PDB file of all heavy atoms in Angstrom:
ATOM      1  N   ALA A  21       4.072 -11.285 -29.889  1.00 32.00           N
ATOM      2  CA  ALA A  21       4.681 -12.564 -30.249  1.00 32.00           C
ATOM      3  C   ALA A  21       3.689 -13.716 -30.161  1.00 32.00           C
ATOM      4  O   ALA A  21       3.892 -14.765 -30.781  1.00 32.00           O
ATOM      5  CB  ALA A  21       5.867 -12.850 -29.337  1.00 32.00           C
ATOM      6  N   LEU A  22       2.582 -13.522 -29.429  1.00 28.00           N
ATOM      7  CA  LEU A  22       1.600 -14.593 -29.309  1.00 28.00           C
ATOM      8  C   LEU A  22       1.000 -14.944 -30.668  1.00 28.00           C
ATOM      9  O   LEU A  22       0.704 -16.092 -30.964  1.00 28.00           O
ATOM     10  CB  LEU A  22       0.479 -14.181 -28.351  1.00 28.00           C
ATOM     11  CG  LEU A  22       0.825 -14.192 -26.868  1.00 28.00           C
ATOM     12  CD1 LEU A  22      -0.356 -13.680 -26.082  1.00 28.00           C
ATOM     13  CD2 LEU A  22       1.230 -15.577 -26.416  1.00 28.00           C
ATOM     14  N   ALA A  23       0.822 -13.923 -31.500  1.00 29.00           N
ATOM     15  CA  ALA A  23       0.251 -14.159 -32.822  1.00 29.00           C
ATOM     16  C   ALA A  23       1.176 -15.028 -33.676  1.00 29.00           C
ATOM     17  O   ALA A  23       0.750 -15.706 -34.600  1.00 29.00           O
ATOM     18  CB  ALA A  23      -0.015 -12.828 -33.519  1.00 29.00           C
ATOM     19  N   ARG A  24       2.483 -14.992 -33.365  1.00 31.00           N
ATOM     20  CA  ARG A  24       3.456 -15.784 -34.109  1.00 31.00           C
ATOM     21  C   ARG A  24       3.710 -17.129 -33.439  1.00 31.00           C
ATOM     22  O   ARG A  24       4.549 -17.917 -33.880  1.00 31.00           O
ATOM     23  CB  ARG A  24       4.774 -15.015 -34.218  1.00 31.00           C
ATOM     24  CG  ARG A  24       4.640 -13.650 -34.863  1.00 31.00           C
ATOM     25  CD  ARG A  24       6.005 -13.096 -35.204  1.00 31.00           C
ATOM     26  NE  ARG A  24       6.833 -12.911 -34.024  1.00 31.00           N
ATOM     27  CZ  ARG A  24       6.877 -11.789 -33.302  1.00 31.00           C
ATOM     28  NH1 ARG A  24       6.119 -10.759 -33.668  1.00 31.00           N
ATOM     29  NH2 ARG A  24       7.665 -11.684 -32.249  1.00 31.00           N
ATOM     30  N   GLY A  25       3.009 -17.389 -32.301  1.00 31.00           N
ATOM     31  CA  GLY A  25       3.184 -18.654 -31.627  1.00 31.00           C
ATOM     32  C   GLY A  25       4.447 -18.719 -30.801  1.00 31.00           C
ATOM     33  O   GLY A  25       4.893 -19.815 -30.453  1.00 31.00           O
ATOM     34  N   THR A  26       5.050 -17.585 -30.510  1.00 35.00           N
ATOM     35  CA  THR A  26       6.282 -17.552 -29.732  1.00 35.00           C
ATOM     36  C   THR A  26       5.958 -17.581 -28.252  1.00 35.00           C
ATOM     37  O   THR A  26       5.135 -16.802 -27.775  1.00 35.00           O
ATOM     38  CB  THR A  26       7.088 -16.276 -30.040  1.00 35.00           C
ATOM     39  OG1 THR A  26       7.317 -16.217 -31.443  1.00 35.00           O
ATOM     40  CG2 THR A  26       8.421 -16.281 -29.295  1.00 35.00           C
ATOM     41  N   ALA A  27       6.597 -18.464 -27.496  1.00 38.00           N
ATOM     42  CA  ALA A  27       6.348 -18.576 -26.057  1.00 38.00           C
ATOM     43  C   ALA A  27       7.146 -17.535 -25.313  1.00 38.00           C
ATOM     44  O   ALA A  27       8.373 -17.469 -25.440  1.00 38.00           O
ATOM     45  CB  ALA A  27       6.732 -19.970 -25.574  1.00 38.00           C
ATOM     46  N   LEU A  28       6.465 -16.683 -24.583  1.00 42.00           N
ATOM     47  CA  LEU A  28       7.103 -15.675 -23.762  1.00 42.00           C
ATOM     48  C   LEU A  28       6.592 -15.810 -22.341  1.00 42.00           C
ATOM     49  O   LEU A  28       5.482 -16.298 -22.126  1.00 42.00           O
ATOM     50  CB  LEU A  28       6.777 -14.262 -24.274  1.00 42.00           C
ATOM     51  CG  LEU A  28       7.352 -13.866 -25.631  1.00 42.00           C
ATOM     52  CD1 LEU A  28       6.823 -12.489 -26.011  1.00 42.00           C
ATOM     53  CD2 LEU A  28       8.877 -13.840 -25.585  1.00 42.00           C
ATOM     54  N   PRO A  29       7.387 -15.378 -21.340  1.00 46.00           N
ATOM     55  CA  PRO A  29       6.889 -15.435 -19.956  1.00 46.00           C
ATOM     56  C   PRO A  29       5.547 -14.737 -19.794  1.00 46.00           C
ATOM     57  O   PRO A  29       4.668 -15.187 -19.095  1.00 46.00           O
ATOM     58  CB  PRO A  29       8.004 -14.744 -19.163  1.00 46.00           C
ATOM     59  CG  PRO A  29       9.228 -14.949 -19.996  1.00 46.00           C
ATOM     60  CD  PRO A  29       8.761 -14.897 -21.418  1.00 46.00           C
ATOM     61  N   GLY A  30       5.364 -13.613 -20.499  1.00 45.00           N
ATOM     62  CA  GLY A  30       4.132 -12.853 -20.384  1.00 45.00           C
ATOM     63  C   GLY A  30       2.940 -13.529 -21.023  1.00 45.00           C
ATOM     64  O   GLY A  30       1.800 -13.148 -20.798  1.00 45.00           O
TER      65      GLY A  30
END
Side-chain angles (χ1 to χ4, degrees):
L22 285 176
R24 303 192 298 270
T26 304
L28 293 175

